[in-house]
Each structure stands twice: as C-alpha cells, then as structure tokens.
Amino acid sequence: IFIMSILKWPLRKKLTLITFLLLAIVIIIGWKQIVQAWVIIVNVNIGIFLLAIPVQILSYCTTAGITATYLAAKGDLKTISWRRVLRISIESNFVDNIIPIPGAAGFSYTSWMLSRFGISASRSITSQIIRYALIFVSFVVVLSISVIALFFDHAINKILATIAFIIIGVTIGVIVFGLYMLSNHMRIIKMSGWITRVVNKIVSIFTRGKKSQILEPESVDRFFGDIHQDYVEIVKDKKILIGPFLCAMASNILDASLIYVVFLSLNCYVNPALFFVAFGIALIASIFTVTPSGMGAFETLMVGFLITSSNIQADVAIAGTLLARAALFAITTIIGYIFYQLTINKYGKISKPADF
C-alpha cells in the first residue's frame, strides 16, 4: 500500500525521496570518510576560510546588480536606491533558502517588494525573468568555456562531459522557446489565456468550486502584454542587457569561488575548470529537489563528481563541500534574516494573490 501511494506522488516528490535514499546510502558507505572529514575541518586555515565572507558579499552585490542595472536603464531607480535593491536581493536569497520552492519564493518576494517602491508588476516580473535568464545564459557560457578547457587539458571524463552538454542543450532550448513566445504578441496572449484557464481550473478543484476565478483574463492579458512590450524595447536596444549580463557572469563565478576558497583553506587545489563543471552540474540537479537550497542533492553530487573526476580524497571532498555549504547557509541566514525581519515589520506579509 505504501509503495502504491509513493507511485502516485508528483515527480518532484519522487526525485526528492530518491535523493534522500541515495544520500543515506552515501552516508552509510562513506561513514569512515565522513568521520575523517571532521578531523580535516579542524585543521582549516582560518585566514583563507574567512575570505569566503567577502566573496559571498560580492556575490550578493553582483546578483543585485543584475536587477539594479536593468531598472536603472529603464529609468526606474528614481523611486528605489541601489542599496535597497541589494537588500531586497539578500532577503530574496534568504527566502529561497528557507522555503523549499527553489527560485519561486524569492521571485515572488522580490516582485512584491519592488511593487512597494512604485515599480509596476510587469516591469518587476520582467526584471526577474531577465535576472534568471541571464544567470542561466552566463552559466552556460562559463560552463562551456570550462568544458572546452578540460578537453584541451585532457582532464574530463565522458560522463561529466555528457551531462554538461545535456545541461547546456536544455538551457539553450528553454531560452529559445521563451524568446519565441515573447517575440509575438498573439502567442503571448494565447499563452496568458491558457495560464488563466489552467490556474482557475486548479483553484476551482482545490476549493471545490467556491472560487472559480482567481485570475481575471483581462488583467492577465494586460500583464503579459506589458511584458511583451518590455521585450520589444529590449530587442530595439540590446545594449541595455550588457550591464546585467556582466553582473550575472560575475555572480556565477563568485558563487563557485566561495566553495573553491573553502577547499583552498583545506590546502586542497582543484583544477578551476573541473571544479566549476562539478559545481554547475550539482547546482542544476539540486533545483529539482524540494529541500531548502537543494540540501542533500547538491552535496552528494558535488562530492561524487569531485571524487570520480579528480585526485581528491573522499574525506577532503566531503569536508570541503559540507564546510562550504554550512558557511554559505550561515552567512545567508544570519544577514538575510535580519533584513527580512526588519522589512516584514515595516511592510507586513504577502497576503494577496495579486502580490505574487
């Protein structure tokens, strides 16, 4: 009966269960290495390890820079300061860490906060779409460069290369599809109509008919029409994306650099290109779990790829990965919570569907 109920679970929930089972197997098999890893952590070079803090702060700044440079180019920083955008970005990161809906929670929170400063819903959503799109595009660029570098260096195995190329191909496909939909007003309106019908249908089912229309077709059409107009304006002036793209590129590199710094603090050198490929694959895979920040999946895959693709010992790979993730989670939680709580005390909580 239990197995039958599991088979009825959504795909995402099944993937999370599989992740936890694999993690349990890894812990059982590698328990000896895990114990040794804690011994290694005690001998960490504190001076190098503390560099992770400024690296993470720079990562926050570049991530916020994606949104800030776009809003500045559109003339919207008149109502909101760059420092406020940075703070919202940190809070958004915190929300993503504590709510097991990777990306979506922070997306909604950022849009809600920007609306508090007079930025329209469509402009806010467009800035978020651009943020995530450019992060993925720049990620693919850095990942591609890393894979090519490893090929020339003869330091990449076939499995790692295959997974990397699949990720690159899928990402490019998603981006091309998104641009195809946004490029035509009729297509975007048809999509908005489909989204409206599907969402209202789902809400009607879950509320047993008490709420049959949570989204109004006219409002949704107008919303997507505004996003299409933003897209048209961007196409006419592509230079507007140069600043956000450079910030996205720096953000990706800094995110990987934080973990790399921790490995250096353990006196462990890894080929930077190989390290980024392992980091990238683990990061993408962790998106498909419902655990906060992809906990479990990321660590398991990162350790696995580092062990199989380099000469790093298992205990060092475990120690470096766990220590880096703990540092990242601590920095994000402490700084993010303080700003988040101050904001909630001032503006209150998201209470309406329209706020999303």
Side-chain angles (χ1 to χ4, degrees), residues 89-222:
S89 178
I90 294 173
E91 294 168 11
S92 171
N93 204 301
F94 166 73
V95 171
D96 269 335
N97 272 336
I98 61 172
I99 299 178
I101 313 175
F107 192 104
S108 299
Y109 180 83
T110 300
S111 299
W112 174 66
M113 279 303 301
L114 289 177
S115 69
R116 294 288 183 250
F117 293 88
I119 297 173
S120 67
S122 59
R123 179 60 53 77
S124 173
I125 294 295
T126 300
S127 70
Q128 291 303 290
I129 292 173
I130 287 174
R131 172 189 167 187
Y132 285 100
L134 290 182
I135 284 178
F136 273 102
V137 169
S138 59
F139 169 81
V140 167
V141 171
V142 178
L143 184 63
S144 301
I145 294 172
S146 299
V147 171
I148 292 171
L150 289 175
F151 267 120
F152 280 109
D153 198 33
H154 305 288
I156 188 170
N157 59 47
K158 293 181 179 179
I159 296 177
L160 206 62
T162 301
I163 295 175
F165 280 123
I166 289 174
I167 291 175
I168 292 170
V170 171
T171 303
I172 292 174
V174 170
I175 292 171
V176 170
F177 176 75
L179 294 176
Y180 171 77
M181 294 302 296
L182 287 171
S183 63
N184 184 276
H185 186 261
M186 287 304 299
R187 279 197 293 266
I188 200 73
I189 293 301
K190 286 181 180 179
M191 186 180 75
S192 71
W194 179 81
I195 291 174
T196 302
R197 290 193 299 273
V198 170
V199 171
N200 285 338
K201 182 74 173 178
I202 293 173
V203 171
S204 178
I205 292 173
F206 277 95
T207 60
R208 296 181 180 179
K210 293 180 180 179
K211 286 187 177 181
S212 60
Q213 190 176 18
I214 193 172
L215 295 179
E216 297 179 2
E218 296 79 9
S219 298
V220 177
D221 287 349
R222 185 168 58 253

Side-chain angles (χ1 to χ4, degrees), residues 316-330:
V316 177
I318 293 171
T321 303
L322 292 180
L323 186 58
R325 291 287 277 179
L328 173 61
F329 193 78

